[in-house]
Amino acid sequence: MRTPQSENDPRPHILDLTPSELSVWLSEHGYPKFRLGQILGWLYERRAESFADMTDLPARLRSELEQAFRLWTAGIHTHQRADDGTEKLLLNLADGGRVECVLLRDGLRRSICVSSQVGCAMGCVFCASGLDGVDRNLSRGEILEQMLRLQRLLPEEERLSHIVMMGMGEPLANLDSVLSALEVAKSPEGLGISPRRITISTVGLPAAIDRLAKHATPFHLAISLHAPTDTLRDDLVPVNRKVGVHKILDAADRYFNATGRRLTFEYVLLDGINDSPECAAQLVRLLRGRVSMLNVIPYNPVAGLPYQTPDASRVHEFRNILVDGGINVQFRQRKGSGIDAACGQLRRKRELIDIETPTGNAS
Ligand code: SAH
């Protein structure tokens, strides 16, 4: 999958090319092999904003690169910053699609949350990303561009430390582009982030989990469970009707056996829906004995949707049942809530505002 061309710019996206494809291009244009390392260095380490910035390349190569490729294909539509240091970008893609990506600061950690698709087809009823279905997959270059845009928000001495594929979209429905982008993210010539610090979050698609298990790089896998039974999960995560909780857990176990990586299960707490003591007890029975971490996420309310976050005492009760049941559980803090940081929320809001302001320039 390649980045769509914008109407008036037919040049391909340089980030869509793998290092070996770029190497072929260089040799076809008469440049020695070591130029590849220099270009990758400028893209991933030295944070060039343009080909002109790549000052140790010969001027002729810089101008040939400029003629042949685009370095950026997306425009920044909105840039928000919350008091806790979280920053969020809403990007306008070449074909007019929009995706979001987020930089989170936590102590020394500099984590980024990246989108894999424009919209989402999974239909989780509480999530803003999938309200209008899926538009298309992002290309490798568009996934990498989000990472590089966020990296360039950091001061020079700071590096990205973690990546989570938890933005818009279902990464396992666009696995080729996601893996191609993550290979560069983990490579020392790319962003140099250990695969242990790269998380792929999925609604749970067993065939794709099995494919991922066979992939040479064992990334960290997070499964968005959100319900302990099929009856409840079929309602909250409609794609579950075709799969079922047990098939997902079996695939997760195979992933664990193949990679030795501890699994993460995600559980968004929705007031009065999946937060009962009975749900907690069912979760204990479901997860007991697995080498896993249960991440309980407070719901980030989405405008127009009826779901709410439970109050503290209910969360406390839920937690105690899990802890007493011997489940490894962590209750995540909400970050960036002042800036609509839950996936798909900013795009949603912009769409609502843009409809009201015909210029589309509402920031
Ligand atoms: N499709 C993938 C990755 C994207 S969503 C997946 O389902 O895992 C990343 C996580 O954020 C998922 O667990 C998702 O259910 C959760 N999420 C979606 N909307 C949310 C909201 N409004 N508040 C809190 N978490 C949300």
Side-chain angles (χ1 to χ4, degrees):
M1 166 102 209
R2 299 263 146 176
T3 299
Q5 292 167 358
S6 48
E7 268 170 38
N8 40 15
D9 194 342
R11 293 173 302 165
H13 193 186
I14 194 164
L15 300 176
D16 274 332
L17 274 69
T18 62
S20 41
E21 288 168 335
L22 192 52
S23 167
V24 169
W25 184 91
L26 284 166
S27 71
E28 282 173 1
H29 289 76
Y31 293 101
K33 275 198 166 24
F34 72 91
R35 296 291 179 206
L36 175 68
Q38 283 179 303
I39 296 172
L40 297 179
W42 279 109
L43 292 174
Y44 296 101
E45 176 73 32
R46 302 171 80 177
R47 307 184 192 180
E49 292 290 345
S50 66
F51 294 117
D53 281 351
M54 302 182 178
T55 47
D56 55 6
L57 300 183
R60 185 170 69 91
L61 174 54
R62 273 180 272 158
S63 87
E64 282 193 58
L65 285 169
E66 182 70 47
Q67 280 161 26
F69 302 109
R70 286 174 291 167
L71 200 162
W72 308 112
T73 60
I76 295 178
H77 180 285
T78 312
H79 178 183
Q80 292 185 315
R81 193 176 167 131
D83 292 344
D84 63 7
T86 303
E87 292 186 64
K88 177 160 187 162
L89 299 176
L90 177 63
L91 299 179
N92 266 337
L93 304 173
D95 64 353
R98 285 180 184 168
V99 290
E100 306 172 14
C101 54
V102 184
L103 168 69
L104 298 123
R105 294 177 160 90
D106 188 7
L108 292 174
R109 279 186 181 212
R110 298 291 177 267
S111 309
I112 55 173
C113 176
V114 174
S115 295
S116 54
Q117 297 181 309
V118 183
C120 185
M122 299 300 118
C124 303
V125 294
F126 50 84
C127 175
S129 294
L131 289 176
D132 302 316
V134 68
D135 190 0
R136 67 173 173 87
N137 283 341
L138 293 181
S139 71
R140 160 207 166 88
E142 288 170 322
I143 296 170
L144 284 170
E145 179 163 351
Q146 297 171 65
M147 298 177 190
L148 297 190
R149 292 272 189 197
L150 294 166
Q151 177 205 40
R152 282 152 173 78
L153 299 178
L154 292 175
E156 220 171 274
E157 65 283 5
E158 292 184 9
R159 295 176 60 87
L160 296 177
S161 64
H162 294 72
I163 298 176
V164 293
M165 295 303 304
M166 286 192 188
M168 292 174 66
E170 167 52 45
L172 293 198
N174 183 18
L175 197 51
D176 288 337
S177 298
V178 166
L179 286 179
S180 180
L182 291 182
E183 282 307 310
V184 182
K186 69 134 216 218
S187 104
E189 293 76 40
L191 292 171
I193 300 174
S194 157
R196 290 169 188 277
R197 296 176 168 195
I198 298 179
T199 301
I200 300 179
S201 179
T202 177
V203 74
L205 306 177
I209 294 174
D210 284 336
R211 230 193 102 194
L212 197 59
K214 290 196 190 86
H215 184 72
T217 310
F219 296 108
H220 183 176
L221 184 67
I223 294 183
S224 296
L225 198 57
H226 308 322
T229 61
D230 281 329
T231 321
L232 184 55
R233 198 167 191 269
D234 284 354
D235 285 346
L236 296 180
V237 183
V239 70
N240 191 65
R241 293 172 202 153
K242 292 190 221 145
V243 193
V245 168
H246 285 280
K247 283 206 174 122
I248 296 173
L249 291 180
D250 289 347
D253 290 344
R254 290 193 293 275
Y255 190 81
F256 174 76
N257 290 331
T259 62
R261 289 276 187 275
R262 183 177 74 176
L263 299 163
T264 295
F265 294 99
E266 313 267 351
Y267 197 99
V268 176
L269 268 189
L270 304 167
D271 186 32
I273 292 179
N274 64 355
D275 63 341
S276 66
E278 196 197 350
C279 280
Q282 287 167 330
L283 261 182
V284 169
R285 287 197 291 279
L286 198 65
L287 298 182
R288 198 157 38 198
R290 285 197 165 79
V291 182
S292 66
M293 169 62 77
L294 177 67
N295 237 332
V296 181
I297 315 164
Y299 182 60
N300 214 331
V302 174
L305 295 184
Y307 307 99
Q308 297 297 329
T309 315
D311 67 33
S313 68
R314 197 144 164 102
V315 176
H316 199 71
E317 190 183 3
F318 193 83
R319 180 198 182 111
N320 284 347
I321 295 168
L322 292 165
V323 172
D324 291 348
I327 298 299
N328 223 345
V329 61
Q330 157 177 296
F331 280 66
R332 256 209 252 146
Q333 295 292 315
R334 188 185 299 166
K335 285 210 140 237
S337 47
I339 57 167
D340 312 303
C343 56
Q345 288 193 352
L346 182 60
R347 183 183 74 144
R348 184 85 194 149
K349 190 183 263 183
R350 285 291 125 185
E351 275 164 8
L352 297 175
I353 294 170
D354 288 353
I355 290 164
E356 286 156 24
T357 49
T359 59
N361 191 7
S363 48

